[in-house]
Amino acid sequence: MMKSYLPTIILGSGLLAVSGCSSVMTHTGGQEGTYPGTRASYEMLTDSETSWGYKPFVALDMPFTAVADTVLLPWDLFREDKSLKSRVEASESKNLATNSVIPPVQ
């Protein structure tokens, strides 16, 4: 008797497609720190601007994101972000610190 593997393949690819989306997006977007995907998912769940139709998907994805962030934890601890976004943010924070010490000329 031949088994049909099609439902198993469809279910497996569906789970793979939704697993850890927030973790993948935050790691490719240049966010630093530990568990950036889980933090982003939590912020989406608690934000009042997030659509009510989107929140169940975020809640469903959150455990998978936490697992993906745990697997990527060594990478997060030892990487040094050299992305353009992080360099601009560092430059802006340096300028803000300088401007607070030296008041602008009036």
Side-chain angles (χ1 to χ4, degrees):
M1 182 178 261
M2 181 175 257
K3 285 180 138 183
S4 175
Y5 292 108
L6 186 61
T8 306
I9 292 172
I10 291 173
L11 180 65
S13 18
L15 286 175
L16 185 64
V18 299
S19 61
C21 293
S22 293
S23 181
V24 171
M25 288 189 318
T26 55
H27 280 92
T28 57
Q31 289 190 3
E32 292 183 5
T34 56
Y35 290 92
T38 307
R39 283 188 279 124
S41 293
Y42 177 75
E43 289 172 8
M44 279 197 239
L45 284 175
T46 57
D47 188 15
S48 62
E49 295 292 320
T50 305
S51 168
W52 64 270
Y54 191 63
K55 286 187 180 186
F57 294 112
V58 174
L60 179 69
D61 181 58
M62 198 164 181
F64 298 108
T65 297
V67 168
D69 281 342
T70 303
V71 169
L72 293 171
L73 187 61
W75 170 259
D76 291 336
L77 292 175
F78 294 110
R79 77 177 171 148
E80 185 176 325
D81 193 13
K82 302 246 186 219
S83 68
L84 179 62
K85 178 184 174 192
S86 65
R87 288 184 287 170
V88 168
E89 287 173 349
S91 173
E92 287 177 352
S93 66
K94 181 180 174 185
N95 287 340
L96 288 175
T98 304
N99 289 340
S100 66
V101 174
I102 304 169
V105 177
Q106 294 179 340

